[in-house]
Amino acid sequence: KNYRRIPVLGRVPAGIPIEAVEDEVDWEDIGEEFLRTGHEYIGLLVKGDSMLPNYQDSDVLIVRLQPSAETGDDAVIFVNGDDATFKRISRAPNGIHLRPLNPEYDPLFFTNEEIEELPIRVLGIAVEVRRKLRK
């Protein structure tokens, strides 16, 4: 009844940061619970397995666009301006850890200086995951 279509804009790597490409690949409907917040949302396809078991390759993330994330948030982050990755945020006094959930991958750490210089920028946080049972 009350919903809005949002674009699914390409893939976000759950692995090594790679260049973000914003191709409109699909659409997802979001309901009233999202519309009431006043935030903007996009969909992104997960690429890779560094965020297993919570997020699988080809899952669709519903991402709330916002410029910051707190410790424990699963966020889409731009590294070096154009390279995107999807990781769990862990803030420290001297920088930020971008942590995969899959123990086979190493976390990334950026100092406060690197956050400013590279830069490291949050696109938004995952608020929902959608999975198709069959492709």
Side-chain angles (χ1 to χ4, degrees):
K1 296 175 183 173
N2 287 330
Y3 70 91
R4 188 173 79 211
R5 288 211 131 168
I6 60 170
V8 176
L9 299 174
R11 294 170 106 38
V12 63
I16 298 169
I18 61 169
E19 185 177 349
V21 178
E22 289 189 4
D23 291 330
E24 194 174 282
V25 297
D26 204 354
W27 293 88
E28 288 287 331
D29 295 333
I30 58 172
E32 275 185 81
E33 68 276 13
F34 292 109
L35 299 175
R36 284 192 297 255
T37 68
H39 293 285
E40 289 296 316
Y41 298 88
I42 62 169
L44 291 170
L45 287 169
V46 173
K47 179 181 179 181
D49 63 356
S50 77
M51 292 296 280
L52 287 174
N54 295 23
Y55 307 95
Q56 298 179 10
D57 189 65
S58 297
D59 281 351
V60 175
L61 298 176
I62 304 302
V63 176
R64 180 174 62 215
L65 300 179
Q66 61 183 58
S68 63
E70 301 300 322
T71 293
D73 287 339
D74 296 336
V76 178
I77 301 106
F78 283 110
V79 179
N80 295 327
D82 294 327
D83 297 339
T85 191
F86 176 55
K87 296 286 182 281
R88 181 157 293 165
I89 299 285
S90 181
R91 295 202 175 268
N94 59 339
I96 189 170
H97 295 272
L98 305 181
R99 299 189 185 280
L101 301 180
N102 184 337
E104 293 183 25
Y105 289 83
D106 293 325
L108 303 171
F109 178 76
F110 298 96
T111 66
N112 290 326
E113 293 77 24
E114 289 173 320
I115 291 169
E116 295 299 319
E117 291 170 8
L118 290 174
I120 307 298
R121 180 173 68 83
V122 174
L123 173 68
I125 62 170
V127 294
E128 185 174 291
V129 62
R130 297 179 180 182
R131 180 172 300 143
K132 295 197 176 14
L133 298 177
R134 293 197 173 109
K135 296 178 186 178

